[in-house]
Amino acid sequence: MTGHRERLLPPPSWWVGGLAFALVWGWLVLVLSGPSAAVLTTAGVGAGVALALWRYGAVTLVVEDGALRAGRARIDVEHLDGVEVLDRDAMRRWHGPDADARAWLVHRTYVAGGVRATVSDPTDPTPYWLLSSRRPDDLARALTSQGVPTTTSPDEGDPDGAT
């Protein structure tokens, strides 16, 4: 059986932006107080931003031992009856017009693709899990290797066939 593990850390541009934020605070304190306070402020703000970004990206997607874990949530694959790989446009649709408010979401704005895993457990009100993933094909393949069938969305086009 094939497993999958993925951590959804923010992209480098977010870290650079956090560094810039810390430097701006350090510069402001330098102008107002002096170099030692500026260094301490830059270090403190930088550490705070780094911690916040690390915690935000701490969510992991794991498929192993017959279960799918997304962050702190867990579901046995026996309660999933389909997995679908989604590109950027499909993810937008499932977060917008096609969304169900009862769905379990693990969404990161900086990750374009993902998967939708349909829940079949009659006691679970959640219709599906929508998970951002940088490697949605690998995630879907791992779920499929654990016995979850692959599904595809019905055609989203006009019912009359006109475009």
Side-chain angles (χ1 to χ4, degrees):
M1 287 199 233
T2 304
H4 178 84
R5 179 175 294 274
E6 177 179 7
R7 184 171 178 148
L8 300 177
L9 284 172
S13 61
W14 284 39
W15 295 93
V16 170
L19 175 63
F21 181 75
L23 290 173
V24 166
W25 273 99
W27 179 78
L28 290 171
V29 171
L30 175 67
V31 170
L32 295 173
S33 299
S36 59
V39 168
L40 289 174
T41 299
T42 302
V45 171
V49 168
L51 179 63
L53 288 174
W54 186 260
R55 294 279 300 154
Y56 184 67
V59 67
T60 56
L61 306 177
V62 179
V63 177
E64 64 185 8
D65 300 328
L68 166 62
R69 285 187 292 128
R72 288 189 242 163
R74 180 184 185 283
I75 189 168
D76 292 330
V77 295
E78 67 189 39
H79 299 299
L80 299 175
D81 69 355
V83 62
E84 174 186 4
V85 175
L86 305 173
D87 62 8
R88 178 184 301 269
D89 293 332
M91 284 292 284
R92 277 193 194 129
R93 276 196 317 274
W94 284 106
H95 278 102
D98 294 343
D100 187 323
R102 300 170 300 154
W104 177 255
L105 305 177
V106 173
H107 176 61
R108 295 296 182 258
T109 58
Y110 48 80
V111 179
V115 300
R116 184 174 70 95
T118 309
V119 177
S120 61
D121 184 0
T123 63
D124 189 345
T126 307
Y128 57 87
W129 283 26
L130 189 61
L131 310 172
S132 292
S133 174
R134 287 191 174 97
R135 301 184 340 245
D137 290 321
D138 293 343
L139 178 55
R141 193 173 9 264
L143 287 168
T144 304
S145 76
Q146 302 261 334
V148 180
T150 303
T151 60
T152 57
S153 285
D155 184 29
E156 298 293 330
D158 186 293
D160 297 323
T163 53

